[in-house]
Amino acid sequence: MAFVARKDFPANNFREFVDYVKANKEKMTYGFAGVGSASHLCSLLFFDAIDTTISGAPYKGTAPALNDLMGGHLDFMCDQTLNVLQPAKTGLVKAYATTMPQRLKVAPDLPTASESGLPGFQMIVWYGMYAPRGTPKPIIEKLSTALQKALQDPEVKDRLAQSGAETVAPERARPEVLRAYLSSEIEKWVPIIKKAGVQSQ
């Protein structure tokens, strides 16, 4: 994920961005790609981290929200890097920081939020492979083995890196690892969602 703002947003870096948002929360506008989206959750995590609440506008997907941001109708948003890096590189929006634990290879000059004023702030959009309940174990093992092999393929790694994504170590592509990680993510997000009073639509 990455924090981006309209191209004429006054802050020059992420630290100034945070200070400006906190100081002007009553008149700030931000958008997100629908209730419960990664874009929405990133915003909730951000507001929790800076102890600030801002009323946002839910959109039907990233594209319309990003269009409004580029048009200057929104102040900022947090969305997946693969969606906002190109507009940022061409100057249509101003990028401030990513939510990764380390800088992205495709955007080495873009700092992380953690190194820029919010120590420990991190949000990673991740993908898992799932099969229907009751799928025979041999098939699960076959799928897992194929996934581990794919994650080591240089072409796969390169294609993902170009979009701002990174592959995990093959040993993490195991059913038991995914189950444990999913549980930890649920424990992380439930309190934040409840605190924000978010309800499913």
Side-chain angles (χ1 to χ4, degrees):
M1 304 293 285
F3 288 97
V4 291
R6 53 183 166 78
K7 60 184 179 182
D8 57 348
F9 200 81
N12 296 308
N13 54 56
F14 187 66
R15 191 179 296 274
E16 290 183 8
F17 170 77
V18 172
D19 290 341
Y20 190 91
V21 169
K22 293 176 70 173
N24 297 275
K25 61 182 181 181
E26 299 298 333
K27 57 182 180 180
M28 296 293 295
T29 59
Y30 82 96
F32 53 91
V35 175
S37 65
S39 178
H40 186 204
L41 294 178
C42 181
S43 302
L44 296 183
L45 187 66
F46 174 60
F47 297 142
D48 185 67
I50 66 173
D51 194 26
T52 297
T53 301
I54 296 176
S55 179
Y59 284 76
K60 293 182 178 180
T62 294
L66 189 56
N67 283 339
D68 271 4
L69 183 68
M70 291 188 292
H73 305 298
L74 292 174
D75 288 312
F76 71 95
M77 66 185 294
C78 180
D79 208 277
Q80 294 189 51
T81 53
L82 73 164
N83 294 329
V84 300
L85 277 184
Q86 191 56 37
K89 288 180 179 179
T90 55
L92 294 175
V93 298
K94 185 182 289 187
Y96 286 105
T98 70
T99 64
M100 293 285 286
Q102 66 280 323
R103 296 192 182 199
L104 293 170
K105 294 178 182 177
V106 292
D109 295 330
L110 188 60
T112 66
S114 184
E115 70 178 283
S116 306
L118 285 182
F121 186 90
Q122 180 176 308
M123 179 180 175
I124 299 174
V125 174
W126 55 272
Y127 299 89
M129 182 182 290
Y130 293 85
R133 183 187 299 273
T135 300
K137 189 173 182 180
I139 294 179
I140 296 294
E141 287 296 329
K142 188 172 183 179
L143 289 170
S144 181
T145 299
L147 178 59
Q148 291 173 45
K149 184 177 180 180
L151 291 175
Q152 298 178 74
D153 186 304
E155 185 175 351
V156 171
K157 297 175 75 170
D158 183 61
R159 288 289 296 275
L160 288 171
Q162 289 176 25
S163 66
E166 296 182 5
T167 57
V168 298
E171 58 268 20
R172 289 187 60 189
R174 299 285 307 158
E176 63 275 12
V177 178
L178 177 57
R179 279 194 295 270
Y181 188 70
L182 178 59
S183 295
S184 69
E185 285 287 273
I186 291 173
E187 290 179 3
K188 170 184 177 178
W189 287 107
V190 166
I192 292 171
I193 292 171
K194 286 184 175 180
K195 180 179 178 180
V198 175
Q199 301 292 329
S200 61
Q201 294 182 327

